[in-house]
Amino acid sequence: MENSVLQECEPLSCVEENRVIGNTVLEANDSSNIVADIRLTIQHPNHKDVIIVVEGEDDEKALKKFFNMQAVEFFCTGNCLKVKNAMLIVSTDKQLKDRVIGIKDADFDHINKISHNIANLMLTDTHDMETMMLTRKVCRKICLETTNEEYPELSAEAMKALKNISYLRYYNDKIILRRGSDKDGINFKGIKIADVASHSVQDVLQRVKDNGNSKKTSYPDLDTINLFISQNPIDDEDLTLFTNGHDLVYAIRDILHKDEAAKAYSDKSIATMIRISYSKEEFEKTNLHKSIDNWNNNRFNLWAV
């Protein structure tokens, strides 16, 4: 999540980050260089006990309040493939495997039932950090702060409104990027969520096609995407595994802005409120917390009091 929440529809999945914008997928020496930098950090006289490798600064902002920062140091790589590939090396390195972990957004891994089986790699419980933190309690606090009213179904309503754009992201990840060349991926940069939320599959397809994708032979037609949707049904209870968190922040903003009083709150403000409102008690209930705690095995004073 290197990109800011402010960059609407720009943040991409692991595969998208490295391919849709024309970059090659992580070069072989990238992860080695990251691990070399981590090793230098560990060897520094004033090093912390544990290094947590994350995708970007937004992840560090979201997570650091849960950790004892006298014992923990964050290291940002830039994207999730770098986190994963660095942990492949770390997990077999005698010096680092008990001192370093990586945390990455699951993206569609849970939907696809992908297990990385890398001891030092931890995944978010849901699609990403935003969807994991945007619990009913957090939503309630945001609604009361912005509109002074209860809106218990805010997040669910927003995710349902995003379902068709989420399906196109999923098609891009599962079909185009995993089978095509580096430049075949759909460009989502610049899409306004208001133009695709609560719109039909056909409308979403056309909006995104007009956004610099009209010449891509890999871009699906309506019959193709409808077939894909029918073959990959997503129940509403699984939408937290399916919805891009940045899209969700924008959709929530747009719903809240129907109330005049809430227009003072930008997407950046809402993203900040999510991080602030998400509690230690809620984090402690997650599989992510459990995975980190199991890895630590009481070796270090890892958690904030």
Side-chain angles (χ1 to χ4, degrees), residues 58-165:
D58 284 350
D59 300 288
E60 180 179 351
K61 289 176 185 177
L63 291 166
K64 66 189 302 180
K65 70 177 182 178
F66 303 121
F67 291 93
N68 170 17
M69 295 308 294
Q70 298 302 311
V72 168
E73 184 171 351
F74 281 85
F75 186 102
C76 299
T77 65
N79 67 53
C80 56
L81 277 178
K82 291 183 180 181
V83 177
K84 175 187 171 182
N85 289 1
M87 291 309 104
L88 276 171
I89 299 173
V90 165
S91 63
T92 59
D93 187 293
K94 291 182 179 180
Q95 182 188 21
L96 301 179
K97 66 180 182 178
D98 293 328
R99 306 290 295 277
V100 181
I101 59 170
I103 300 173
K104 89 168 192 73
D105 289 342
D107 296 312
F108 294 111
D109 287 352
H110 296 314
I111 289 288
N112 291 328
K113 295 180 170 49
I114 293 173
S115 178
H116 296 283
N117 295 317
I118 303 171
N120 296 68
L121 181 66
M122 319 295 171
L123 303 183
T124 54
D125 287 36
T126 60
H127 187 281
D128 46 44
M129 204 66 70
E130 288 83 5
T131 50
M132 189 178 80
M133 292 185 164
L134 202 50
T135 62
R136 290 180 70 89
K137 286 184 180 179
V138 171
C139 271
R140 183 176 185 273
K141 289 179 182 179
I142 291 171
C143 291
L144 291 175
E145 171 69 24
T146 57
T147 68
N148 200 32
E149 292 182 8
E150 299 274 359
Y151 200 154
E153 300 303 318
L154 174 62
S155 182
E157 180 181 322
M159 287 189 290
K160 289 176 186 176
L162 292 167
K163 199 167 184 178
N164 289 336
I165 188 66

Side-chain angles (χ1 to χ4, degrees), residues 200-203 205 219-229:
S200 68
V201 175
Q202 185 172 3
D203 286 348
L205 208 58
Y219 196 80
D221 59 23
L222 183 58
D223 288 341
T224 300
I225 197 68
N226 278 335
L227 178 62
F228 178 77
I229 291 171

Side-chain angles (χ1 to χ4, degrees), residues 206-254:
Q206 190 61 50
R207 289 276 188 179
V208 178
K209 185 176 183 179
D210 292 341
N211 189 63
N213 295 295
S214 59
K215 295 183 179 179
K216 292 184 177 177
T217 58
S218 60
Y219 196 80
D221 59 23
L222 183 58
D223 288 341
T224 300
I225 197 68
N226 278 335
L227 178 62
F228 178 77
I229 291 171
S230 68
Q231 292 173 337
N232 296 273
I234 302 296
D235 295 331
D236 287 349
E237 56 263 31
D238 291 330
L239 286 177
T240 56
L241 310 178
F242 189 62
T243 308
N244 180 292
H246 297 268
D247 291 353
L248 184 56
V249 169
Y250 289 112
I252 285 174
R253 174 203 62 189
D254 292 343

